[in-house]
Amino acid sequence: LALVLLATARSAVGTRLDSLTVDEPWHIVAGVEYLRTNDFRLNPEHPPLVKLVAAANMPATFTLRPKSALSDKGAERDFVEETFFFDNDFRLAQERARIAVWLLNGAMLLLLGALVAQSFGMPWAVGTLLFLTLEPTVGAHAPVVMTDLPVALALAITALVAARLVTTWSWRWTVALGLAMGVSLAAKHSALPGLAGIGGFCAFAAW
């Protein structure tokens, strides 16, 4: 827990002057629409996990425009960026989104550390989390409303859970593996090749 808090603090210091990435307004506006209207037509090419997490921490004053027919992705981008920058306090929205995504990635780091500790021992868990705390790409991505870091952490968790399953053949690890796979897919579609490899590993171990 101390290392996860240290990683978050380092990320906060290192990214305190960062502006929004080009896709963050899209993800945040889409997430708010998903959460409030159950309409998933905006930005359907990315799964909803990170978008919903960020949207859950948006202020109540965050407003959505009535959505007309959007002819193409360019029109969709204009719609979400005008909603985000013209109709709302985008600085407050970024601040709230960063907090939400730090919580998501911090929770996944904590779970990853716990699984490493259970599988290999506490020194390996400390070493793993210390490396991730110091690794600059992790710190840069930790507060960003994008899918890359969550899918990487989710796949690492899934791989460790799969290893626990094939060494114990316990039903609780079977359920945990299904949940971990679901979170990976909810984070990003590109989890599919990794999950195929993990599934093949489990099938070979079962055989």
Side-chain angles (χ1 to χ4, degrees):
L1 180 58
L3 285 169
V4 170
L5 292 173
L6 178 62
T8 303
R10 179 189 180 280
S11 172
V13 172
T15 64
R16 67 191 184 283
L17 300 179
D18 286 6
S19 62
L20 291 148
T21 68
V22 69
D23 285 336
E24 283 187 280
W26 210 329
H27 290 171
I28 293 169
V29 173
V32 173
E33 181 152 298
Y34 297 172
L35 198 62
R36 294 184 184 175
T37 69
N38 205 33
D39 184 342
F40 287 78
R41 286 179 291 169
L42 276 181
N43 195 231
E45 59 270 26
H46 287 282
L49 175 65
V50 180
K51 293 182 278 189
L52 289 172
V53 168
N57 202 39
M58 285 298 107
T61 54
F62 193 97
T63 60
L64 294 170
R65 291 186 172 193
K67 188 160 77 277
S68 56
L70 300 173
S71 57
D72 54 28
K73 295 306 289 184
E76 186 178 321
R77 181 175 289 280
D78 290 342
F79 173 80
V80 298
E81 290 185 348
E82 289 169 8
T83 299
F84 190 81
F85 290 108
F86 295 166
D87 300 351
N88 293 283
D89 182 347
F90 65 89
R91 292 182 179 87
L92 175 61
Q94 183 192 16
E95 181 183 326
R96 298 289 290 269
R98 283 164 63 90
I99 293 169
V101 180
W102 267 320
L103 287 171
L104 171 65
N105 288 320
M108 294 176 78
L109 279 171
L110 191 62
L111 181 57
L112 178 64
L115 285 166
V116 173
Q118 188 175 46
S119 300
F120 302 106
M122 187 59 73
W124 284 93
V126 171
T128 299
L129 290 181
L130 188 59
F131 172 79
L132 293 174
T133 297
L134 298 174
E135 209 288 316
T137 308
V138 173
H141 280 233
V144 177
V145 188
M146 292 182 68
T147 55
D148 304 286
L149 182 58
V151 74
L153 294 174
L155 282 173
I157 289 168
T158 304
L160 284 166
V161 171
R164 296 297 298 168
L165 171 63
V166 302
T167 53
T168 64
W169 296 116
S170 166
W171 276 110
R172 67 190 181 107
W173 289 111
T174 308
V175 173
L177 180 61
L179 291 172
M181 286 182 159
V183 171
S184 298
L185 286 172
K188 194 169 187 176
H189 291 130
S190 58
L192 279 168
L195 294 178
I198 292 169
F201 165 74
C202 290
F204 177 78
W207 176 78

